[in-house]
RNA sequence: GGCGGCAUAGCCAAGUGGCUAAGGCAGCGGUCUGCAAAACCGUUAUUCACCGGUUCAAAUCCGGUUGCCGCCUCCA
C-alpha cells in the first residue's frame, strides 16, 4: 500500500480502497482506449495479506529478515545473490554517496517487508503488531501465488530493475531456494527530446491527449516500430508518419475488399507462384522476428515487405485470375493476422479511412461540401479538356491542403 | 562518485563474428496518368561516434577516448 494513496484518502476523507478503485477505473479507461486486453488475473495486495504475512514469517524463520521497532526488514547481506539482476555489488552501492543509513536498519539497503502502522493509516493484524506490507513483498508473493514458485516471464520498466525487481528476487529466492523467474523483460522509456518522460519533469503527454488527435492504432504502430528494450523518442512528427503508414495498410485492405468482388478470369496466373513464395517467406520471417525477443521493429519491416509484394501483385493484375485472387485474399488475411498480434488493423478499412478523413477535416476546419463543389467544377473543365482551368482548381485545393486523386471511377480526395 | 545502457544514411530504425548492412520516411530517376496523386520499378551507408587490438574474417568481440541517456529514494 502506497503512501500516496493513504495521503490522498486522508485528504479526501475517503477510504484507501475507494481511492485505489478510482485510479484503477481511470487506468482501465486508458488501457481500453489503447486496445490493451484485460489481464486474466489482477490481484490486489490488500486481498493477499495472509499470504504476505506467511512469506514474511518464512523469511524471519530462515534468518533473512529481522524485526526492528515493529518493522520487519529484509537483510540484503544475508542473501548472497543480492544485486545479480542489476549487476551491482553491495560495497559499490555503499560507496555511492546517495545511500545513507536509516535508523533501525542494519544495512542501508535493507528494505521493509512489514511496516508498523502509524495512527490514521490502514492496518492489518500480524504477529508483529498492526501494520501494512512493505513495498516489494506483494509483487513476489502474489505472482508466486498465482504462477508458482518459479515462473517464466516477469516484465516491467527499466527503472524498476533496481531496487524493485532486485528485491523481489531476494525475497522470493531467499524463501524458496529456487529461481524466481526465467526471463526478465524490461522495456525502455518513452522520451521527449531524449529525456525520460516523467510527471516530475513535466514533459509528458497523456494518453487521452494523444488519443484525442490520433487513432490508438497509430500510437501502437509508432511504439512497435522500436524494439521494446530501446528508449523511444516521442514526437508528433513520428506519430504523423505512423499515421500515414497505417493508412497505407488500410488502403491496401480496402482495395482487397474491392478485389474480392471482381469476377475472376477462370484460369491460373503464372506470377502466382513467386508471389506465393513471398507470402510464405514473409510469414516465416515475421514469426522468426517475433520469436527473437519480440523484435516487433523487425517484424514490422517484414510486414512492409509483404505489403509491397501484395501491391506489386495487384499492379501486375494477378488478382484477376482465380487462383491469384485467392492468393491475394490469403495474403491480406495474413496481414490482418499479424495486425491482430500487434493490436492494429482491427477497424473496417472503410471506417478507418473515413474516420481519419473526418478527423483531419475537423482539425483543418474543412467543409467537404465546398471541396465536392470544386471537384465538380473541375470535372466540367476536364470534360472539355480545358486542362489549365482544371489544374488551377487542383492547385487551389492543394493550397487548402486537399490532395485529389483521379481514378477511372471518378475523383476522390484526401486531407493532407 | 558507483553501476548499467546507447551511438548504424538527411531523419526514424533492425542487425551483436562470415550471405548484397532489413524496413519506413524524405530525396532523385522511371512506369502509369491530359498533367498529377496513389501504387509499382529502380536508386540513395565500400561503411556502422573516434582510436587501437584480437581474428583468415569485426557494425558485431576486447581495451581506451568522446558524446548522450538512465538507475543508485521507505516511488512501485
Amino acid at each position: 500500500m502506497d503512501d500516496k494513496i493513504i495521503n490522498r484518502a486522508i485528504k479526501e476523507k475517503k477510504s484507501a480502497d475507494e481511492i485505489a478503485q478510482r485510479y484503477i477505473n481511470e487506468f482501465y479507461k486508458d488501457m481500453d482506449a489503447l486496445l490493451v486486453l484485460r489481464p486474466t488475473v489482477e490481484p490486489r495486495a490488500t486481498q493477499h495479506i495472509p499470504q504476505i504475512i506467511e512469506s514474511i514469517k518464512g523469511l524471519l524463520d530462515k534468518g533473512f529478515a529481522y524485526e526492528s521497532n515493529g518493522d520487519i526488514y529484509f537483510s540484503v547481506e544475508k542473501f548472497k545473490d543480492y544485486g545479480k539482476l542489476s549487476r551491482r555489488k553491495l560495497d559499490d552501492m555503499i560507496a555511492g554517496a546517495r545511500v545513507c543509513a536509516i535508523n533501525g536498519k542494519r544495512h542501508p539497503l535493507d528494505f521493509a517487508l512489514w511496516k508498523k502502522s502509524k495512527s490514521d493509516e490502514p492496518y492489518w493484524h500480524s504477529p508483529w503488531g498492526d501494520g501494512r506490507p512493505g513495498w516489494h513483498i506483494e509483487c513476489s508473493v502474489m505472482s508466486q501465488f498465482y504462477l508458482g514458485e518459479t515462473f517464466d516471464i516477469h516484465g516491467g520498466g527499466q527503472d524498476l530493475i533496481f531496487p524493485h525487481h532486485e528485491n523481489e528476487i531476494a525475497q522470493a529466492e531467499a524463501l524458496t531456494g529456487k529461481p524466481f523467474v526465467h526471463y526478465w523483460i524490461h522495456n525502455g522509456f518513452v522520451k521527449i527530446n531524449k529525456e525520460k518522460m516523467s510527471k516530475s519533469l513535466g514533459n509528458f503527454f497523456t494518453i487521452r491527449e494523444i488519443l484525442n488527435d490520433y487513432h490508438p492504432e497509430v500510437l501502437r504502430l509508432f511504439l512497435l516500430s522500436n524494439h521494446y528494450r530501446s528508449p523511444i523518442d516521442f514526437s508528433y512528427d513520428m506519430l504523423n508518419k505512423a499515421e500515414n503508414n497505417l493508412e497505407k495498410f488500410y488502403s491496401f485492405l480496402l482495395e482487397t475488399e474491392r478485389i474480392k468482388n471482381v469476377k475472376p478470369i477462370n484460369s491460373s496466373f503464372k506470377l502466382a507462384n513467386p508471389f506465393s513464395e513471398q507470402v510464405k517467406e514473409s510469414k516465416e520471417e515475421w514469426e522468426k522476428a517475433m520469436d527473437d525477443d519480440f523484435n516487433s521493429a523487425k517484424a514490422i519491416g517484414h510486414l512492409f515487405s509483404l505489403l509491397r509484394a501484395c501491391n506489386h501483385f495487384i499492379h501486375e493484375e494477378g488478382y484477376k485470375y482465380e487462383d491469384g485472387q485467392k492468393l491475394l485474399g490469403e495474403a491480406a488475411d495474413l496481414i490482418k493476422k499479424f495486425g491482430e498480434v500487434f493490436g492494429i488493423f482491427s477497424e473496417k478499412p472503410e471506417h478507418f479511412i473515413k474516420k481519419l478523413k473526418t478527423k483531419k477535416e475537423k482539425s483543418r476546419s474543412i467543409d467537404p461540401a465546398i471541396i465536392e463543389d470544386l471537384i465538380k467544377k473541375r470535372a466540367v473543365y476536364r470534360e472539355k479538356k480545358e486542362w489549365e482551368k482544371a489544374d488551377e482548381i487542383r492547385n487551389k485545393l492543394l493550397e487548402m491542403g486537399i490532395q485529389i486523386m483521379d481514378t477511372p471511377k471518378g475523383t476522390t480526395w484526401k486531407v493532407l
Side-chain angles (χ1 to χ4, degrees):
Chain A
M1 175 163 287
D2 187 358
D3 283 329
K4 284 181 209 150
I5 293 176
I6 295 169
N7 292 337
R8 177 63 66 103
I10 293 167
K11 207 170 133 193
E12 296 190 15
K13 296 190 173 64
K14 290 196 171 137
S15 76
D17 241 14
E18 265 177 281
I19 301 293
Q21 194 54 53
R22 194 169 82 207
Y23 282 100
I24 289 168
N25 291 341
E26 294 300 300
F27 176 76
Y28 279 153
K29 274 187 206 161
D30 285 346
M31 291 303 116
D32 290 348
L34 285 171
L35 311 170
V36 174
L37 302 177
R38 296 274 182 105
T40 311
V41 180
E42 296 174 87
R44 307 267 300 262
T46 50
Q47 283 155 19
H48 294 78
I49 302 294
Q51 291 96 320
I52 291 171
I53 288 173
E54 205 53 40
S55 283
I56 298 172
K57 259 192 216 161
L59 287 168
L60 281 165
D61 288 347
K62 291 197 169 188
F64 286 105
Y66 58 92
E67 186 177 348
S68 173
N69 307 322
D71 296 332
I72 311 292
Y73 290 103
F74 185 92
S75 175
V76 294
E77 286 166 309
K78 293 275 168 64
F79 184 67
K80 64 176 182 354
D81 283 341
Y82 194 79
K84 69 175 173 181
L85 180 71
S86 53
R87 283 178 257 188
R88 288 159 203 246
K89 293 190 185 83
L90 282 177
D91 295 345
D92 291 343
M93 282 186 280
I94 299 306
R98 293 176 62 181
V99 179
C100 60
I102 281 172
N103 41 352
K105 283 194 200 179
R106 291 182 191 164
H107 187 281
L109 290 173
D110 288 350
F111 53 93
L113 296 171
W114 189 262
K115 275 194 73 168
K116 189 169 73 180
S117 65
K118 300 182 196 119
S119 56
D120 281 2
E121 287 177 356
Y123 61 85
W124 289 265
H125 300 303
S126 83
W128 321 286
D130 293 345
R132 57 189 164 110
W135 288 266
H136 309 287
I137 190 72
E138 81 289 356
C139 279
S140 52
V141 167
M142 292 193 294
S143 55
Q144 287 183 306
F145 180 76
Y146 290 99
L147 302 170
E149 290 179 331
T150 299
F151 56 95
D152 285 330
I153 300 171
H154 191 311
Q158 254 162 20
D159 52 343
L160 299 184
I161 294 172
F162 190 88
H164 184 55
H165 292 158
E166 197 68 69
N167 290 352
E168 279 193 67
I169 292 174
Q171 292 159 351
E173 297 190 357
L175 192 63
T176 66
K178 293 175 191 164
F180 178 42
V181 304
H182 289 131
Y183 298 98
W184 287 89
I185 291 198
H186 290 111
N187 60 279
F189 298 122
V190 177
K191 302 190 300 176
I192 304 283
N193 291 327
K194 311 218 186 284
E195 256 185 344
K196 179 181 166 184
M197 192 194 280
S198 73
K199 217 169 177 177
S200 52
L201 286 170
N203 62 343
F204 63 92
F205 296 92
T206 64
I207 289 165
R208 282 167 210 190
E209 246 178 286
I210 292 165
L211 294 186
N212 211 17
D213 296 326
Y214 293 89
H215 193 284
E217 292 185 2
V218 171
L219 187 58
R220 296 181 80 99
L221 184 62
F222 162 67
L223 293 171
L224 288 161
S225 306
N226 271 52
H227 193 273
Y228 74 84
R229 261 190 280 111
S230 314
I232 185 168
D233 227 5
F234 176 87
S235 72
Y236 281 107
D237 183 45
M238 285 294 130
L239 226 45
N240 289 335
K241 283 180 175 150
E243 188 176 68
N244 287 337
N245 280 335
L246 194 61
E247 191 185 9
K248 219 167 160 167
F249 279 99
Y250 271 114
S251 298
F252 163 74
L253 292 172
L254 185 65
E255 180 68 1
T256 57
E257 283 184 5
R258 188 189 65 81
I259 284 168
K260 233 184 260 173
N261 301 318
V262 173
K263 202 173 178 334
I265 300 163
N266 192 14
S267 67
S268 65
F269 183 57
K270 60 178 173 7
L271 284 181
N273 234 8
F275 179 52
S276 105
E277 278 304 307
Q278 279 171 315
V279 174
K280 203 180 137 211
E281 199 187 313
S282 291
K283 183 177 188 291
E284 287 166 2
E285 290 297 318
W286 187 90
E287 283 171 358
K288 217 166 95 188
M290 289 303 282
D291 283 347
D292 181 11
D293 196 16
F294 302 104
N295 197 335
S296 59
K298 196 179 192 177
I300 280 175
H302 293 300
L303 200 55
F304 275 105
S305 301
L306 180 58
L307 177 68
R308 191 152 26 95
C310 288
N311 277 328
H312 181 81
F313 190 65
I314 291 173
H315 188 74
E316 304 249 276
E317 303 195 317
Y319 64 88
K320 289 190 174 168
Y321 299 82
E322 201 173 293
D323 57 352
Q325 196 176 59
K326 190 168 159 260
L327 194 54
L328 187 66
E330 284 167 10
D333 286 344
L334 192 61
I335 286 178
K336 275 188 268 185
K337 201 188 115 193
F338 293 157
E340 211 179 301
V341 174
F342 289 143
I344 55 178
F345 313 149
S346 67
E347 294 259 14
K348 275 184 78 112
E350 212 186 320
H351 290 171
F352 179 87
I353 288 164
K354 195 179 267 174
K355 260 193 205 170
L356 191 60
K357 198 172 175 180
T358 312
K359 185 213 93 181
K360 286 182 173 176
E361 279 166 11
K362 254 190 205 157
S363 70
R364 310 278 162 80
S365 317
I366 287 163
D367 182 357
I370 293 170
I371 309 300
E372 295 292 348
D373 194 51
L374 284 166
I375 287 173
K376 266 182 207 153
K377 276 185 189 148
R378 177 170 169 271
V380 175
Y381 287 125
R382 291 186 73 215
E383 194 68 32
K384 290 191 274 184
K385 296 206 192 301
E386 291 182 33
W387 307 124
E388 253 177 53
K389 283 190 175 161
D391 288 351
E392 210 174 280
I393 292 174
R394 184 174 57 202
N395 289 337
K396 192 175 165 189
L397 285 164
L398 215 51
E399 273 169 37
M400 295 163 70
I402 305 298
Q403 176 67 60
I404 55 172
M405 292 151 283
D406 295 325
T407 73
K409 282 185 291 170
T411 301
T412 61
W413 56 282
K414 69 176 208 174
V415 186
L416 289 176

